[in-house]
């Protein structure tokens, strides 16, 4: 008799369902209705602010408290906003550069830690863990103090350095998880087939790792794109990124331009996510 | 799969190359208060000189100081308030002005050219001056709220529970409280400051928020009914809703002179210094200064600009106060070592339960 | 299954693989950490510069009820946020895990999309919703639940901050719980259903304990950012609900007191480290129990 995850509806095994689920009692139907309603409320809660944001990006009035008419004006204003364009460019430069660096060296250390036994491995593990449990603000001021003391000028390079510093650990974790699920049996088998380890790594292990590497890269990219606190503290005057520009707009000049930017960002991510998911899936299949 | 990766890789390199290769136009980094200049002026300046002004804003002087102290060396021109100029000069963070590069300097009113914290405009030029006060909506009042008591007296503040906003600025908030209590707004007496602190904590339950930049927007939407803030902001808001008004309370208030200065590192670099001086000069051209004043609704120290300033602004007592009101205004002074005590008491207010 | 590097070549490879990341973390993480640690023992000059005298004054100053109070309140807010996220998120993860497989992927996608909007923007959205004249109040007034003259003040207080934090963190709770739930070994559930009569007991004594790793991971992912929160209390707190993150930021901002700010950060990091150590200790003892 096949086991059901309590409450799971398994359509494939209809004929073999657990006795109790065969006759949907009133109680279990009520339970299903309630839980679907709960899920509905949850997603409503999740999406409500987003919808409000999008709707009010078309509001004729400057204030998000009353609706006075439909307009595209804010989007038009947005496109001629030179400062936003600059911020976007900066954000992309930082995100792409830091993701590349972070993914490469993060994968490298993940492989090293998973593969080899060595003394002080615990110390390395601890070091890798720390950026994750340190709050943003602490990391931000640490880096600020460091750059000021060592007299590194604050600008795009300092932001990139900071972003790599806090994303390495995340890349490493994701890649390590992937490595753990692969195991080494395949590589051992490859060792029998290929002349040297180098080939074994590139032809077998690396392709297998790819979904993890891509996952890590995407995560690092998102973290960098979104970062506000750390970037705010280590940026200089001409290195404003999009989150900083948006936060500035919120702080001093409330117009639906902010909503317009957010809506556009949402659209971009809605296009981006399925692509990235497909990338990961294809990497998995190859 | 591999092809996809290589395509992405190429794209990435392409993006980074295009951004590196672009030639940088001449850029001036201007660090100032929000909405403190007519954006048209940026365009006009760029048309005339080819220099692009990039604006960054701050909400209180301490943030400006912190940014400069932490080595942000990119700012060329900054706009600190009076007492902060004192600090910046002592910390050697502002450069010396070369008056020969600023022909329009003669347009400035002599009353503002020799301020105690910056003799003979050695480092800064006066930019705008004004007073802090209370913004309100005529819908809520028959007579203007002519006293700080409406904010600091619990009996009166209770009327507007949850509808009062204060500036997020310890010099301003404690300054107002101290003036209300009859003390100096730059006191170095711990007892006096403690009294001010307790006064503010006493009305905290009625305070909606601490806000230095969008307080007039809250007034406009009805989020607040009384706003502690700066004259020009309310008068700009008046253009959107004629019921918004501003008053300098009868007990007196803080008067401030904002200054426009060149940072030390900008002064040290000939190219940046030249651009910065050009900017300062441009702003003091009578026509430009008039345009600016007509936009920000603050009082300009530029005498020559007066012919271009709208009569409405010149007649407005809250902007160009009469003798009597001016006598009630005090300028803030740097409190030196005592800043730490101020800071601590401010934290007590903000955390105040 | 890790191996001991045997040949010189393997040793070289290992070191090459380790070095870049180690270098980066040591130079751009450990050293800044040490700098902050050192600063926490220095003094603040008249105009906010560092004075190199060794003193523990900053820590003594922090031990004041004012600052401990702020820390404690931040701690409570973070705990409350975590608990609420769990109460809201775990049931949803459970529900998702019991959906048919193909639907799960769609649900996952649906949940991630809002998450891909910048959190600053999402927090700002809450500000517009919770203001006195905002949507929520307008709806409540329309439904006659509150009076027009005196709508509830939902913004610029601790509650608003918690709402904001929960909103931004709940997905971080759902995902690990969901991962744990879908990874459940079905045979264990079968054994449970043979032994226990009803679903409630199965849940309490089997499902919940087995998914504990996911729950704990979720709790850490919610608690750590919430304790160090900076943007949310700033935007939704109106200056009245400042948390420890804001306090630290102020020391490096308007208060210009880097030594004090460093001391507060050190205390904060110690608390985080201590909590994480406890977690690992708990994990290890759980493993030895089995």
């Amino acid at each position: 008799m096949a086991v059901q995850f309590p409450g799971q509806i398994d359509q494939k095994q209809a004929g073999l369902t657990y006795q109790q689920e065969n006759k949907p009692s009133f109680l279990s139907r009520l339970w299903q209705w309630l839980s679907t309603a709960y899920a509905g409320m949850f997603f409503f809660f999740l999406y409500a602010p987003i919808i409000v944001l999008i709707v009010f990006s078309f509001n004729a009035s400057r204030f998000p408290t009353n609706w006075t008419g439909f307009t595209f004006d804010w989007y038009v204003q947005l496109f001629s906003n030179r400062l936003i364009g600059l911020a976007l460019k900066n954000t992309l430069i930082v995100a792409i550069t830091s993701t590349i660096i972070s993914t490469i060296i993060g994968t490298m250390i993940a492989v090293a830690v998973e593969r080899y036994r060595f003394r002080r491995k615990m110390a390395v593990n601890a070091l890798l863990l720390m950026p994750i449990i340190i709050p943003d603000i602490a990391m931000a001021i640490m880096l600020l103090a460091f750059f000021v003391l060592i007299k590194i000028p604050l600008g795009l390079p300092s932001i990139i350095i900071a972003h790599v510093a806090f994303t390495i650990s995340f890349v490493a974790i994701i890649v390590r998880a992937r490595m753990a699920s692969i195991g080494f049996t395949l590589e051992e088998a490859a060792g029998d087939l290929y002349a040297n380890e180098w080939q074994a790594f590139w032809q077998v292990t690396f392709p297998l790792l790819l979904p993890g590497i891509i996952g890590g890269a995407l995560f690092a990219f998102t973290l960098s794109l979104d970062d506000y606190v750390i970037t705010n503290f280590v940026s200089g005057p001409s290195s404003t990124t999009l989150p900083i520009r948006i936060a500035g707009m919120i702080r001093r000049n409330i117009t639906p331009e902010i909503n317009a930017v957010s809506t556009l960002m949402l659209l971009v991510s809605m296009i981006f996510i399925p692509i990235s998911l497909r990338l990961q899936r294809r990497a998995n299949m190859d | 799969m591999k092809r996809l990766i290589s395509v992405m890789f190429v794209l990435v390199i392409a993006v980074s190359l295009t951004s590196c290769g672009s030639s940088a136009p001449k850029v001036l980094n201007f660090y100032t208060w929000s909405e403190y200049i007519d954006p048209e002026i940026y365009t006009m300046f760029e048309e005339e000189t080819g220099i692009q002004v990039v604006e960054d804003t701050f909400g209180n002087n301490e943030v400006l100081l912190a940014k400069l102290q932490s080595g942000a060396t990119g700012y060329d021109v900054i706009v600190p308030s009076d007492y902060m100029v004192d600090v910046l000069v002592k910390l050697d963070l502002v450069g010396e002005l070369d008056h020969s590069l600023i022909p329009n300097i003669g347009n400035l009113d002599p009353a503002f050219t020799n301020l105690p914290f910056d003799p003979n405009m050695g480092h800064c030029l006066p930019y705008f001056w004004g007073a802090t006060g209370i913004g309100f909506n005529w819908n809520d009042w028959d007579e203007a709220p002519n006293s700080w008591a409406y904010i600091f007296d619990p009996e009166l503040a209770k009327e507007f529970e949850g509808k009062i906003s204060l500036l997020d600025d310890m010099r301003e908030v404690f300054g107002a409280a101290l003036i209300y209590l009859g003390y100096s707004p730059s006191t170095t007496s711990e007892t006096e400051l403690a009294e001010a602190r307790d006064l503010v904590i006493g009305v905290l339950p009625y305070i909606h928020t601490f806000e230095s930049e969008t307080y007039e927007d809250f007034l406009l939407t009805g989020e607040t009914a009384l706003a502690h803030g700066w004259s020009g902001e309310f008068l700009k808001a008046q253009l959107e809703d004629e019921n918004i008004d501003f008053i300098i309370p009868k007990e007196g208030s803080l008067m401030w002179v904002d200054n426009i200065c060149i940072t030390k590192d900008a002064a040290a670099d000939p190219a940046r210094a030249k651009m910065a001086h050009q900017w300062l000069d441009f702003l003091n051209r009578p026509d430009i200064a008039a345009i600016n004043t007509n936009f920000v609704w603050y009082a300009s120290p530029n005498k020559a600009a007066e012919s271009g300033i709208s009569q409405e602004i010149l007649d407005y007592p809250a902007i160009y106060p009469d003798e009597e009101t001016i006598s009630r205004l005090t300028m803030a002074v740097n409190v030196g070592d005592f800043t730490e005590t101020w800071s601590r008491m401010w934290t007590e207010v903000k955390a105040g339960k | 299954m890790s191996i001991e590097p045997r040949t010189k070549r393997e040793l070289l490879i290992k070191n090459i693989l380790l070095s870049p990341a180690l270098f980066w973390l040591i130079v751009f993480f450990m050293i800044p950490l040490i700098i902050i640690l050192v600063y926490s023992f220095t003094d603040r000059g008249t105009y906010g510069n560092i004075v190199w005298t060794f003193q523990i004054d900053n820590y003594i100053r922090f031990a004041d009820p004012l600052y401990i109070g702020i820390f404690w309140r931040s701690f409570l807010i973070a705990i409350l946020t975590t608990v609420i996220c769990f109460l809201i998120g775990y049931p949803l993860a459970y529900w998702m895990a019991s959906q048919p497989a193909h639907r799960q992927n769609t649900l996952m996608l649906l949940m991630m999309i809002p998450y891909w909007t910048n959190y600053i923007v999402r927090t700002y959205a809450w500000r517009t919703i919770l203001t006195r004249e905002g949507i929520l109040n307008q709806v409540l007034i329309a439904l006659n639940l509150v009076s027009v003259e005196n709508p509830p003040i939902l913004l610029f207080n601790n509650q608003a901050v918690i709402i904001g934090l929960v909103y931004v963190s709940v997905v971080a709770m759902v995902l690990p719980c969901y991962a744990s739930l879908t990874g459940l070994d079905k045979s264990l559930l079968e054994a449970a259903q043979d032994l226990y009569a009803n679903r409630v007991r199965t849940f309490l004594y089997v499902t919940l304990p087995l998914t504990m790793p996911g729950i704990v991971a979720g709790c850490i992912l919610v608690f750590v950012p919430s304790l160090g929160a900076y943007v949310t209390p700033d935007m939704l707190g109106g200056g009245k609900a400042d948390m420890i993150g804001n306090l630290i930021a102020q020391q490096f901002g308007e208060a210009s007191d880097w030594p004090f700010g460093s001391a507060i950060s050190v205390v904060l990091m110690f608390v985080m480290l201590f909590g994480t150590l406890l977690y690992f200790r708990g994990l290890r003892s759980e493993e030895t129990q089995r």
Side-chain angles (χ1 to χ4, degrees):
Chain A
M1 172 159 26
V3 161
Q4 294 303 300
F5 189 79
Q8 180 163 25
I9 312 152
D10 190 349
Q11 291 158 347
K12 290 199 204 119
Q13 301 190 330
L16 298 168
T17 46
Y18 199 52
Q19 285 290 17
Q20 271 187 359
E21 311 306 332
N22 223 352
K23 302 178 210 118
S25 67
F26 172 71
L27 214 60
S28 74
R29 265 192 312 180
L30 180 66
W31 178 252
Q32 267 178 34
W33 188 89
L34 276 176
S35 41
T36 315
Y38 177 75
M41 282 197 298
F42 180 87
F43 278 97
F44 177 71
F45 170 65
L46 210 61
Y47 274 85
I50 311 265
I51 299 190
V52 167
L53 217 56
I54 299 179
V55 166
F56 277 95
S57 70
F58 299 106
N59 188 7
S61 156
R62 185 159 77 86
F63 299 108
T65 46
N66 55 331
W67 179 264
T68 54
F70 188 95
T71 174
F72 276 111
D73 284 352
W74 305 111
Y75 286 91
V76 174
Q77 204 171 313
L78 187 62
F79 281 113
S80 54
N81 190 330
R82 176 167 39 94
L83 297 170
I84 294 247
L86 201 64
L88 180 64
K89 188 177 81 156
N90 285 334
T91 307
L92 285 176
I93 295 176
V94 167
I96 293 178
T97 315
S98 63
T99 302
I100 293 179
I101 301 178
S102 182
T103 308
I104 295 177
I105 68 181
T107 306
M108 283 166 70
I109 198 173
V111 169
V113 170
E114 275 300 302
R115 195 154 198 260
Y116 295 112
R117 226 179 295 141
F118 51 92
R119 279 181 312 162
R120 304 204 203 102
K121 190 165 173 181
M122 243 179 71
V124 173
N125 274 329
L127 186 60
L128 275 177
L129 186 62
M130 284 182 73
I132 299 181
I133 61 175
I134 301 273
D136 269 4
I137 183 78
M139 189 115 188
I141 58 153
M142 271 163 48
L143 286 166
L144 176 66
F146 173 75
F147 288 135
V148 169
L149 197 63
I150 313 285
K151 297 221 194 329
I152 295 180
L154 300 176
L156 285 183
S158 61
I159 302 180
I160 294 177
I161 292 177
H163 281 213
V164 173
F166 75 78
T167 48
I168 295 179
S169 304
F170 288 98
V171 173
I173 282 195
I174 295 179
V175 173
R176 283 179 72 175
R178 177 72 183 164
M179 287 191 81
S181 65
I182 296 179
F184 279 102
T185 43
L186 268 174
E187 193 166 314
E188 286 170 357
D192 294 334
L193 295 170
Y194 287 95
N196 60 25
E197 268 173 41
W198 188 244
Q199 277 189 315
F201 178 75
W202 275 110
Q203 303 280 18
V204 181
T205 320
F206 183 76
L208 284 174
L209 278 183
L210 206 54
I213 298 180
I214 293 182
L218 286 173
F219 198 64
F221 189 74
T222 317
L223 285 179
S224 171
L225 222 55
D226 241 13
D227 183 65
Y228 170 68
V229 181
I230 297 182
T231 314
N232 191 28
F233 275 83
V234 302
S235 66
S238 11
S239 50
T240 311
T241 60
L242 204 55
I244 295 181
R245 176 61 55 188
I246 293 178
M249 282 167 75
I250 292 178
R251 201 167 286 146
R252 73 187 121 95
N253 196 15
I254 301 184
T255 68
E257 229 178 302
I258 302 170
N259 302 50
V261 166
S262 325
T263 311
L264 288 177
M265 277 165 49
L266 186 66
L267 276 173
V268 168
S269 64
M270 278 175 71
I271 302 176
F272 197 61
I273 300 183
I275 294 182
S276 65
L277 282 180
R278 190 169 307 166
L279 254 183
Q280 281 189 288
R281 223 171 290 154
R282 284 191 64 187
N284 232 330
M285 292 191 307
D286 283 350
Chain B
M1 183 65 214
K2 285 210 173 116
R3 200 194 302 177
L4 187 57
I5 293 191
S6 31
V7 165
M8 275 171 48
F9 198 63
V10 168
L11 264 176
V12 158
I13 302 278
V15 168
S16 22
L17 278 181
T18 49
S19 48
C20 286
S22 59
S23 56
K26 290 194 286 181
V27 165
L28 181 85
N29 283 307
F30 187 41
Y31 199 29
T32 179
W33 304 77
S34 50
E35 288 179 66
Y36 210 23
I37 190 172
D38 188 341
E40 269 303 303
I41 298 184
Y42 291 139
T43 325
M44 292 169 71
F45 187 62
E46 187 169 356
E47 274 166 25
E48 271 192 40
T49 62
I51 302 174
Q52 200 184 80
V53 180
V54 176
E55 175 191 282
D56 204 358
T57 67
F58 55 86
N60 63 52
N61 283 293
E62 282 69 24
V63 169
L64 166 65
L65 176 64
K67 252 313 199 254
L68 290 179
Q69 274 185 314
S70 64
T73 54
Y75 294 115
D76 299 304
V77 179
I78 55 176
V79 182
S81 300
D82 32 50
Y83 72 93
M84 189 45 74
V85 175
D86 193 15
V87 178
L88 292 174
V89 169
K90 290 207 168 80
L91 285 176
D92 199 26
L93 287 169
V94 284
E96 294 207 0
L97 289 181
D98 181 357
H99 290 193
S100 66
L101 291 178
I102 314 178
N104 280 305
I105 204 171
N107 297 335
L108 292 167
D109 187 333
F112 294 100
T113 57
N114 199 7
L115 297 165
F117 48 80
D118 186 32
N120 287 319
M121 298 184 289
H123 301 272
C124 312
L125 299 179
Y127 184 55
F128 280 112
W129 66 274
T132 316
I134 304 179
F136 61 98
N137 190 325
W138 277 110
N139 284 336
D140 300 316
W141 301 87
D142 294 322
E143 267 181 37
N146 195 6
S147 165
W148 287 114
Y150 288 101
I151 294 186
F152 291 126
D153 183 341
E155 287 303 311
L156 295 172
K158 206 190 282 189
E159 292 284 312
F160 289 97
E161 175 166 1
K163 289 192 153 213
I164 307 180
S165 76
L166 291 177
L167 284 170
D168 193 6
D169 185 321
M170 72 178 179
R171 292 305 310 257
E172 289 280 4
V173 173
F174 282 156
L178 288 164
I179 289 180
Y180 175 64
L181 291 168
Y183 304 130
S184 153
S186 308
T187 184
T188 48
S189 147
E190 185 142 357
T191 33
E192 289 176 9
L193 195 59
E195 239 187 278
R197 172 203 59 196
D198 293 336
L199 188 70
V200 179
I201 292 185
V203 289
L204 256 188
Y206 312 122
I207 305 294
H208 191 46
T209 179
F210 287 91
E211 177 61 53
S212 290
E213 292 177 271
T214 57
Y215 51 83
E216 73 277 13
D217 285 343
F218 287 146
L219 203 58
L220 277 168
T221 57
E223 186 79 16
T224 54
L226 281 177
H228 177 210
W230 299 303
S231 42
E233 306 311 315
F234 297 114
L235 299 170
K236 285 204 275 281
Q238 201 177 64
L239 298 173
E240 282 187 62
D241 178 353
E242 53 187 15
N243 289 310
I244 306 290
D245 207 346
F246 167 79
I247 188 166
I248 300 175
K250 65 176 190 250
E251 296 92 353
S253 185
L254 275 176
M255 166 184 154
W256 41 264
V257 178
D258 282 339
N259 303 267
I260 188 162
C261 325
I262 300 183
T263 58
K264 188 74 180 199
D265 49 282
D269 176 340
R272 288 169 69 185
K274 177 156 174 282
M275 289 199 294
H277 279 92
Q278 265 181 291
W279 179 233
L280 260 57
D281 187 55
F282 188 75
L283 287 171
N284 276 300
R285 255 173 44 184
D287 54 325
I288 301 295
I291 293 176
N292 211 3
T293 312
N294 288 331
F295 178 84
V296 302
W297 285 73
Y298 284 105
S300 171
N302 189 318
K303 207 131 179 90
E306 260 170 49
S307 52
I309 300 178
S310 84
Q311 198 58 38
E312 196 180 349
I313 294 183
L314 289 171
D315 288 339
Y316 215 106
I319 308 178
Y320 282 94
D322 52 22
E323 287 293 318
E324 195 271 321
T325 319
I326 293 188
S327 65
R328 287 188 270 129
L329 297 175
T330 334
M331 230 196 284
V333 169
N334 178 24
V335 291
D337 272 323
F338 207 59
T339 310
E340 189 175 316
T341 316
W342 274 73
S343 195
R344 192 215 140 86
M345 299 229 184
W346 183 236
T347 310
E348 286 171 20
V349 166
K350 298 282 285 284
K353 287 294 177 290
Chain C
M1 198 191 74
S2 43
I3 56 180
E4 192 76 42
R6 282 156 290 165
T7 63
K8 239 194 206 159
R9 190 164 163 277
E10 271 186 31
L11 206 64
L12 186 65
I13 292 181
K14 176 201 103 189
N15 287 333
I16 293 181
L17 287 178
L18 282 177
S19 324
L22 276 187
F23 168 79
W24 209 283
L25 284 176
I26 291 180
V27 171
F28 300 116
F29 183 74
M30 282 317 294
I31 294 188
L33 191 56
I34 295 175
I35 293 179
I36 289 290
L37 200 58
V38 169
Y39 275 3
S40 70
F41 293 108
T42 61
D43 192 13
R44 174 192 186 274
T46 315
Y47 296 108
N49 41 323
I50 307 262
V51 173
W52 296 95
T53 51
F54 183 84
Q55 47 147 45
I56 56 172
D57 286 22
N58 294 314
Y59 289 99
I60 297 180
R61 186 172 158 203
F62 184 73
D64 183 297
L66 170 68
Y67 301 114
I68 301 279
I70 297 178
F71 192 88
W72 182 241
R73 190 164 49 82
S74 311
F75 195 77
L76 286 179
I77 290 181
I79 297 248
L80 206 56
T81 305
T82 310
V83 167
I84 296 179
C85 278
F86 174 71
L87 291 175
I88 298 182
Y90 191 85
L92 189 91
Y94 192 91
W95 177 83
M96 263 179 71
S98 49
Q99 294 304 299
H102 65 272
R103 214 183 282 172
Q104 284 184 21
N105 283 332
T106 322
L107 287 172
M108 180 74 102
L109 197 70
L110 268 184
M111 198 161 38
M112 296 298 287
I113 288 180
Y115 218 54
W116 276 57
T117 321
N118 189 290
Y119 73 96
I120 298 182
V121 150
R122 285 184 292 152
T123 314
Y124 170 67
W126 274 105
R127 199 162 102 155
T128 64
I129 294 177
L130 292 175
T131 74
R132 182 180 288 109
E133 314 287 320
I135 312 271
L136 191 53
N137 271 345
Q138 286 182 14
V139 166
L140 290 176
I141 290 178
L143 291 177
N144 258 325
L145 289 169
V146 300
S147 68
V148 186
E149 305 88 40
N150 242 347
I153 299 180
L154 301 164
L155 189 59
F156 299 143
N157 49 30
N158 285 319
Q159 297 87 290
V161 174
I162 294 181
I163 293 179
L165 286 175
V166 166
Y167 182 73
V168 163
S169 318
V170 72
V171 171
M173 172 66 79
V174 170
L175 288 179
C177 292
Y178 170 73
S180 249
L181 281 164
T182 50
L184 272 186
D185 188 349
K186 301 286 195 305
S187 62
L188 288 173
L189 286 174
E190 171 178 338
Q193 282 170 347
D194 288 340
L195 294 172
Y196 293 96
N198 61 31
R199 302 216 291 227
V200 174
R201 301 190 84 189
T202 312
F203 176 75
L204 281 179
Y205 293 111
V206 182
T207 316
L208 206 54
L210 282 179
T211 54
M212 201 49 85
I215 298 178
V216 176
C219 286
I220 291 187
L221 284 178
V222 173
F223 184 76
V224 169
S226 297
L227 184 58
Y230 166 65
V231 172
T232 309
D234 189 42
M235 218 181 273
L236 297 177
K240 296 187 299 180
D242 279 356
M243 290 170 66
I244 199 82
N246 303 99
L247 187 63
I248 296 177
Q250 280 159 21
Q251 304 312 312
F252 281 83
E254 47 260 50
S256 275
D257 196 344
W258 288 30
F260 187 49
S262 306
I264 306 177
S265 302
V266 168
V267 171
L268 182 62
M269 287 192 277
F270 254 115
V271 169
M272 300 289 201
L273 273 166
F274 187 63
T276 321
L277 275 174
L278 278 178
Y279 163 60
F280 277 121
R281 182 81 62 78
L283 254 190
R284 214 170 299 152
S285 65
E286 197 180 296
E287 277 179 20
T288 52
Q289 268 175 23
R290 292 222 208 111

